[in-house]
Amino acid sequence: MMLIFMSGLSRMWGRVDGTTRDASNSTPQRRCITELADLMITSRSGLSYQVAQLEKAGLLRRETDASDERRAMVVITEDGRRLLAKTAPGHVAAVRDGLIDLLTGEQVAQLADIMDDVRTRLRPRVVPAASRRKAT
């Protein structure tokens, strides 16, 4: 079960923490769950479920956006940060060892192009939350 939490935290927080740092310092900012779902090309409800599981484990917490009470924000807890710091290096090493280091520079570039194409094609299949709200 912890492996699932670590995997979910790593995937999710890579997006949350990696895209929300203020350039002037290294303090992570909060991330709107709807925006995060759109970045991850997943549904808001699917991501909400993952957040709930990580929240139960004490790794993330939700906060209400002070400027818009309808918006749910995701913040990593200190326990989550410690777990991520402990597990991320092993995750990165496994990906490098099992994939990246097996490829040439040209193949890595090709893989990046392929993944960009896949992301571009998948994005319209997951209806962004803002579009669902307008349609209802």
Side-chain angles (χ1 to χ4, degrees):
M1 186 60 99
M2 187 52 73
L3 182 59
I4 293 169
F5 287 143
M6 290 185 305
S7 173
L9 182 62
S10 179
R11 178 175 171 233
M12 183 182 313
W13 204 253
R15 285 291 193 172
V16 176
D17 201 40
T19 60
T20 60
R21 287 188 180 272
D22 183 314
S24 64
N25 65 44
S26 63
T27 304
Q29 306 299 308
R30 301 175 316 151
R31 186 67 171 197
C32 174
I33 195 167
T34 300
E35 293 167 2
L36 185 58
D38 290 344
L39 280 172
M40 294 178 68
I41 312 175
T42 190
S43 68
R44 185 183 184 285
S45 62
L47 186 60
S48 289
Y49 175 78
Q50 288 181 329
V51 169
Q53 298 307 304
L54 295 168
E55 197 172 20
K56 285 179 189 174
L59 304 175
L60 296 177
R61 72 175 182 271
R62 288 182 224 223
E63 296 178 354
T64 302
D65 186 343
S67 64
D68 184 349
E69 292 181 0
R70 298 169 296 176
R71 289 175 45 138
M73 307 301 283
V74 178
V75 181
I76 193 168
T77 64
E78 284 305 314
D79 285 347
R81 187 168 309 289
R82 280 191 292 275
L83 180 62
L84 191 58
K86 180 180 174 181
T87 60
H91 174 75
V92 169
V95 171
R96 288 197 69 80
D97 185 55
L99 178 63
I100 302 301
D101 291 346
L102 302 175
L103 304 175
T104 66
E106 182 179 337
Q107 290 172 320
V108 170
Q110 290 171 341
L111 180 59
D113 289 343
I114 291 166
M115 297 310 294
D116 284 344
D117 288 345
V118 169
R119 184 182 56 238
T120 299
R121 288 192 173 107
L122 284 178
R123 189 171 299 280
R125 294 179 186 199
V126 177
V127 180
S131 298
R132 284 195 302 270
R133 283 194 298 268
K134 289 177 187 174
T136 57

